[in-house]
Amino acid sequence: PGFIMNESTDKTLTGAQQTLVALNAQANGMRAELADLQRDLAQARDDFSSTHAAQLLEANEQLVISALRARTLADSALADLVALSRTTQYDELTETPNRALMLDRIQGAIGLARRHREQLAVLFVDLDGFKLVNDTLGHAAGDAVLRRVASCLADSIRETDTVSRFGGDEFLVLLASVSDASDAAVMAAKMLAALSSSGADQGVAASVSASIGIAVYPKDADTPEELIRCADAAMYRA
């Protein structure tokens, strides 16, 4: 038997072919549109990546610049703070702790001495005849003497001790720990020897003499102010 194509079958095949052609055309169109979309997407991705990278680079540069500016400002502020701290806590001429800072250090040393049941000593140092230096050689020479005295006193003490210019030609020395009052007397003698043997400075006389009074905690007083007052009184007796 054979297959006989009648008119109805022919029409059906023709319609199917036409439908297939149409579907194929639609598929080709969709594939073309998809290809266009893929190209557009790739281009958009490339454009976005380039723009995003540029934005990130610019933001990073701005961040670095801002960080550098902040660091510069912080360094400047720290330098100003250090300078202000030295101005308010240290004597400008001798660069030793001023009166307020010295009182604070004596108070701290008293606290430690009380806790450990130890003694400390405060020495009041007054230069002899300093007014004559100012009157005969001038204030510049007087300043040179004060700087030299501060240096000599600092060289005569331990690292745990403190030298302070109390005012004018007066100095305070804090001996943070002493076993006995005689230890302070030995230190005072060492200071006087250092002052008398110090070399000439800018034409100023080679030797400087001083009077020293000693007060010991807790025997003589138990506050910074009272220790200084007692040492001052002892200096006048000396």
Side-chain angles (χ1 to χ4, degrees):
F3 179 77
I4 301 174
M5 183 180 296
N6 57 29
E7 184 179 352
S8 175
T9 303
D10 183 58
K11 290 181 178 178
T12 301
L13 289 175
T14 301
Q17 289 175 346
Q18 290 175 347
T19 301
L20 182 60
V21 170
L23 290 174
N24 190 46
Q26 291 179 359
N28 289 334
M30 292 181 65
R31 281 193 291 268
E33 291 181 7
L34 181 59
D36 291 340
L37 286 173
Q38 289 176 335
R39 284 194 299 270
D40 292 342
L41 181 60
Q43 184 63 45
R45 187 183 296 113
D46 292 340
D47 293 342
F48 176 78
S49 298
S50 299
T51 303
H52 190 56
Q55 291 175 342
L56 285 177
L57 180 60
E58 182 179 0
N60 186 61
E61 290 176 349
Q62 291 298 324
L63 181 61
V64 171
I65 292 173
S66 298
L68 290 175
R69 287 176 178 172
R71 178 62 180 272
T72 300
L73 290 174
D75 290 345
S76 177
L78 180 60
D80 291 342
L81 182 62
V82 171
L84 179 62
S85 176
R86 291 202 66 82
T87 300
T88 58
Q89 295 185 320
Y90 288 81
D91 176 61
E92 183 177 1
L93 179 63
T94 62
E95 297 184 352
T96 61
N98 61 16
R99 184 187 300 243
L101 182 56
M102 187 60 163
L103 286 172
D104 184 67
R105 291 193 178 181
I106 294 175
Q107 185 64 61
I110 289 175
L112 288 174
R114 181 183 296 118
R115 186 177 305 119
H116 298 292
R117 299 182 181 277
E118 295 178 343
Q119 299 183 90
L120 64 82
V122 172
L123 281 60
F124 199 106
V125 182
D126 183 80
L127 302 185
D128 298 331
F130 180 74
K131 185 176 182 301
L132 183 62
V133 175
N134 276 335
D135 292 343
T136 58
L137 299 177
H139 289 284
D143 290 347
V145 169
L146 293 175
R147 285 192 293 268
R148 181 152 53 92
V149 168
S151 179
C152 283
L153 295 178
D155 290 341
S156 302
I157 61 175
R158 303 162 299 187
E159 291 185 0
T160 55
D161 302 329
T162 305
V163 172
S164 167
R165 184 185 178 201
F166 196 63
D169 62 341
E170 299 171 339
F171 291 83
L172 289 179
V173 179
L174 167 63
L175 303 181
S177 176
V178 294
S179 299
D180 189 79
S182 60
D183 294 342
V186 170
M187 188 67 73
K190 181 180 178 181
M191 293 176 186
L192 292 176
L195 291 174
S196 64
S197 62
S198 60
D201 187 351
Q202 298 181 4
V204 180
S207 62
V208 175
S209 62
S211 299
I212 300 180
I214 302 171
V216 177
Y217 166 88
K219 176 184 176 181
D220 298 317
D222 60 2
T223 68
E225 294 79 7
E226 282 299 305
L227 282 169
I228 293 172
R229 187 188 64 78
C230 291
D232 187 18
M235 182 273 299
Y236 276 105
R237 287 196 299 272

